[in-house]
Amino acid sequence: MLPYLVFLLLSLSTHTHGENPAIKLILTDKGLQYGKHLGAGFVQDRIKNMSFADIKGRIGLVKYVLSGVSVSQCDFPEPTVDFYEGIGFKAMISGLNIRVIGKLKIKFGFIHVGGSFDLAAFNVGVTSEVRLGDNEGHLSISSETCSAEIGDVNINFHGGASSISKMVISIFKDHFKGEIQGKICPAIKQQIEDLERQLVAIAVSFQVGSDLVLDVPLSSSPLVDSASLELDFKGEFYNAKSHTDPPFQVQNFSLTRQDSYMLSLGMSEFTANSVSYSYFSTGVLVAHITDKMIPTVFPLRLNTSSFGKLIPQLPKLFPDLLMELSVSARKVPMFSFLPGEVQLGLPGMVTAFAVQNNATLTPLFKLQADSVFSGQVSISGNKVQGSAALSNFTLTLVSSEIGPFKTTDLENLLRFGIKNGVLPKLNAKLEEGVVLPSSHHIQLVNPVLKVNKGFVDFSSNVAV
Ligand SMILES: *[C@@H]1O[C@H](CO)[C@@H](O)[C@H](O)[C@H]1NC(C)=O
Ligand SMILES: *[C@@H]1O[C@H](CO)[C@@H](O)[C@H](O)[C@H]1NC(C)=O
Ligand SMILES: *[C@@H]1O[C@H](CO)[C@@H](O)[C@H](O)[C@H]1NC(C)=O
Ligand SMILES: *[C@@H]1O[C@H](CO)[C@@H](O)[C@H](O)[C@H]1NC(C)=O
Ligand SMILES: *[C@@H]1O[C@H](CO)[C@@H](O)[C@H](O)[C@H]1NC(C)=O
């Protein structure tokens, strides 16, 4: 039963070892118990559905073949499943009753007897301890210990020479009790090995959109204590074509177990910044701005006469020409997670050009434009929403082909433009929010999201 439980619980889990993890997942006892409850039903169905290959054997001179064996009834009491500190899980079931039916053929010298049988095993108890580990970034599972005991066995034969059957029934009884008892743990081991194969086949990196890959191998072995399981993942986005790691590191963070929630997920600001880095390093963060893109309400046109109000010498040197701006990120835009707030620093570079009548772009000046945005994120239902504000904007002249000029007025104007032109559109989008991805009909119940220093903490209960 345990393998399926683990599989259910961790099916969301999907290589570089020794790095600090950027994503952490904690499963609490509440989550484990809910998973067990789901898993128990699944295992019961699976037991009922089990089919067996023909069983051939002999007891002394009696040869027998059991064929068409199937489970006709199974009382599956709720198992207990607990975290097993430093190892994984410990599962116990006691008082399981199971009835199998099938055909029996007995050969004893010249005597051939055929008929059907039903066999009930009562009060079956199984204890299984499984070890969780890290198999090259994949969650791995193996059987640590297993013990099984059968309280009693009851066999009935129907048809054939029931007198012979009755004679051998007592021998069969003990024989079968031992046979079945000896088969339980190997069967569980087999199931755990099957599960291990499935876990190893689960992808640990995922394509996100057309450009990005999210890399989430385990960064260390699962951490199991008496009340929770923690899985640590690498949690790095990189560009699908040019896989380069960002020049910054994950800062350690510790995710606190919250016993009233089944699951907690912590994501370091590193994960967000790895997205920034992959866009930055592939040169995507560049924009060309022409006059046509400036809203008509904006008090400045992108041409040399209009800019004369701010840079008096410009229209004298380049009379009545349109201008173009090339805006790019000077450095990687970085997110900082602070208590209750997300900040984004955008170090920008603006190069201004005059568009000559023959379409040649003549460079005019270069500005360093640094903005800091601060935002809030919240969760409602299955939607993550946000809002953003400009908290700092500074403009500095880096170089000029047209002589020095004061940037204060331009700075004020651009600040006004960001606040009144850019942010309202951005905030409309952020308010619309992003629907959280869901899978296998799993619903989030009372999810909460909290931004802490260096990481965001998402906790939730789930319902299937
Ligand atoms: C039971 O077996 C049938 C036929 O092999 C299969 O279609 C079904 O999915 C199985 N159910 C479970 C719960 O394994
Ligand atoms: C991060 O924490 C782990 C375990 O707590 C520790 O082994 C490691 O040295 C820490 N790394 C840094 C960079 O602080
Ligand atoms: C420049 O902008 C002004 C408005 O400020 C406009 O009157 C003028 O026609 C524009 N010149 C060009 C070349 O677009
Ligand atoms: C375009 O016009 C400018 C200014 O008149 C001139 O300096 C430049 O050489 C011209 N370029 C081409 C390719 O004609
Ligand atoms: C805005 O940024 C500038 C330059 O980085 C800095 O000197 C200034 O203190 C910042 N102002 C605020 C209010 O954060």
Side-chain angles (χ1 to χ4, degrees):
M1 92 204 78
L2 205 54
Y4 299 103
L5 224 173
V6 177
F7 191 63
L8 266 167
L9 287 172
L10 304 178
S11 56
L12 75 154
S13 132
T14 46
H15 202 187
T16 317
H17 281 62
E19 283 177 9
N20 286 344
I23 293 179
K24 299 185 177 197
L25 177 74
I26 289 181
L27 175 74
T28 63
D29 190 53
K30 183 173 183 180
L32 179 65
Q33 297 315 319
Y34 184 70
K36 174 197 78 174
H37 189 70
L38 295 179
F42 182 75
V43 173
Q44 181 166 18
D45 287 350
R46 212 160 149 129
I47 291 177
K48 282 186 182 155
N49 219 12
M50 272 197 309
S51 60
F52 302 82
D54 288 2
I55 302 164
K56 291 178 189 166
R58 67 153 70 213
I59 306 168
L61 296 172
V62 181
K63 286 184 181 166
Y64 64 89
V65 181
L66 305 178
S67 56
V69 182
S70 65
V71 176
S72 71
Q73 204 188 332
C74 175
D75 298 334
F76 189 79
E78 184 97 5
T80 63
V81 179
D82 293 302
F83 292 112
Y84 185 18
E85 195 158 356
I87 307 277
F89 299 112
K90 179 172 183 161
M92 270 187 294
I93 190 161
S94 56
L96 179 120
N97 301 327
I98 186 165
R99 181 179 292 272
V100 297
I101 53 173
K103 298 228 168 350
L104 169 74
K105 268 188 212 153
I106 295 173
K107 207 172 146 201
F108 177 55
F110 298 109
I111 307 166
H112 294 246
V113 185
S116 63
F117 76 95
D118 71 80
L119 182 153
F122 299 106
N123 214 359
V124 180
V126 182
T127 301
S128 162
E129 290 165 351
V130 298
R131 178 179 284 276
L132 297 178
D134 166 13
N135 180 351
E136 298 192 336
H138 297 262
L139 182 70
S140 79
I141 180 170
S142 55
S143 175
E144 181 80 357
T145 65
C146 177
S147 63
E149 207 176 339
I150 295 177
D152 199 9
V153 164
N154 192 5
I155 314 178
N156 285 304
F157 296 121
H158 312 282
S162 58
S163 53
I164 292 187
S165 298
K166 274 184 188 129
M167 261 167 50
V168 294
I169 209 162
S170 59
I171 324 170
F172 268 81
K173 194 177 144 167
D174 282 345
H175 177 77
F176 278 132
K177 190 176 159 190
E179 282 278 293
I180 298 168
Q181 204 160 272
K183 281 206 164 94
I184 294 175
C185 282
I188 289 176
K189 248 182 209 142
Q190 180 67 50
Q191 296 286 334
I192 291 172
E193 280 162 20
D194 286 353
L195 179 63
E196 166 70 0
R197 271 191 292 278
Q198 291 180 52
L199 287 173
V200 166
I202 293 177
V204 293
S205 59
F206 301 91
Q207 182 94 25
V208 179
S210 53
D211 303 329
L212 295 180
V213 172
L214 171 62
D215 207 14
V216 280
L218 288 175
S219 63
S220 60
S221 283
L223 304 165
V224 188
D225 63 24
S226 60
S228 66
L229 161 69
E230 179 180 320
L231 297 178
D232 292 354
F233 303 96
K234 184 175 180 189
E236 179 186 319
F237 283 94
Y238 61 84
N239 184 273
K241 291 184 198 90
S242 65
H243 183 171
T244 47
D245 291 318
F248 42 82
Q249 307 254 312
V250 185
Q251 295 304 308
N252 262 356
F253 71 95
S254 74
L255 184 63
T256 316
R257 188 185 85 224
Q258 299 190 55
D259 290 323
S260 54
Y261 291 98
M262 297 176 184
L263 294 168
S264 292
L265 184 83
M267 188 190 88
S268 159
E269 60 194 12
F270 172 88
T271 303
N273 287 328
S274 67
V275 176
S276 285
Y277 176 74
S278 68
Y279 282 137
F280 175 79
S281 64
T282 47
V284 184
L285 303 179
V286 178
H288 291 280
I289 295 174
T290 61
D291 186 52
K292 285 198 189 98
M293 295 156 79
I294 310 289
T296 47
V297 292
F298 196 63
L300 187 71
R301 299 315 310 163
L302 208 43
N303 71 47
T304 53
S305 356
S306 189
F307 261 72
K309 286 180 258 174
L310 306 167
I311 311 169
Q313 69 271 37
L314 180 58
K316 293 189 188 112
L317 296 165
F318 298 94
D320 211 21
L321 291 180
L322 278 171
M323 289 166 70
E324 254 185 57
L325 301 179
S326 158
V327 181
S328 60
R330 205 170 73 245
K331 291 189 258 169
V332 184
M334 293 288 270
F335 290 92
S336 309
F337 292 174
L338 302 168
E341 183 179 302
V342 175
Q343 279 195 351
L344 172 64
L346 270 178
M349 180 65 90
V350 180
T351 310
F353 301 91
V355 185
Q356 303 282 3
N357 291 323
N358 61 10
T360 304
L361 295 178
T362 306
L364 300 173
F365 53 86
K366 255 188 185 161
L367 295 163
Q368 201 166 294
D370 293 339
S371 19
V372 177
F373 294 90
S374 58
Q376 265 77 43
V377 281
S378 60
I379 191 162
S380 73
N382 61 344
K383 224 186 217 186
V384 176
Q385 292 165 305
S387 64
L390 182 69
S391 53
N392 198 356
F393 180 76
T394 52
L395 212 55
T396 320
L397 188 62
V398 177
S399 65
S400 169
E401 274 75 17
I402 53 168
F405 60 91
K406 275 182 70 183
T407 54
T408 329
D409 290 343
L410 187 56
E411 182 180 286
N412 289 334
L413 209 61
L414 288 177
R415 191 180 289 124
F416 175 86
I418 295 171
K419 282 189 174 163
N420 299 288
V422 180
L423 281 175
K425 283 185 191 152
L426 178 67
N427 276 320
K429 279 245 155 72
L430 291 174
E431 203 190 326
E432 242 174 63
V434 180
V435 176
L436 288 171
S438 63
S439 64
H440 306 104
H441 312 288
I442 294 172
Q443 268 188 313
L444 300 175
V445 181
N446 299 329
V448 287
L449 191 144
K450 193 166 160 235
V451 185
N452 302 291
K453 173 133 186 51
F455 71 102
V456 52
D457 170 349
F458 167 81
S459 293
S460 184
N461 287 322
V462 296
V464 179

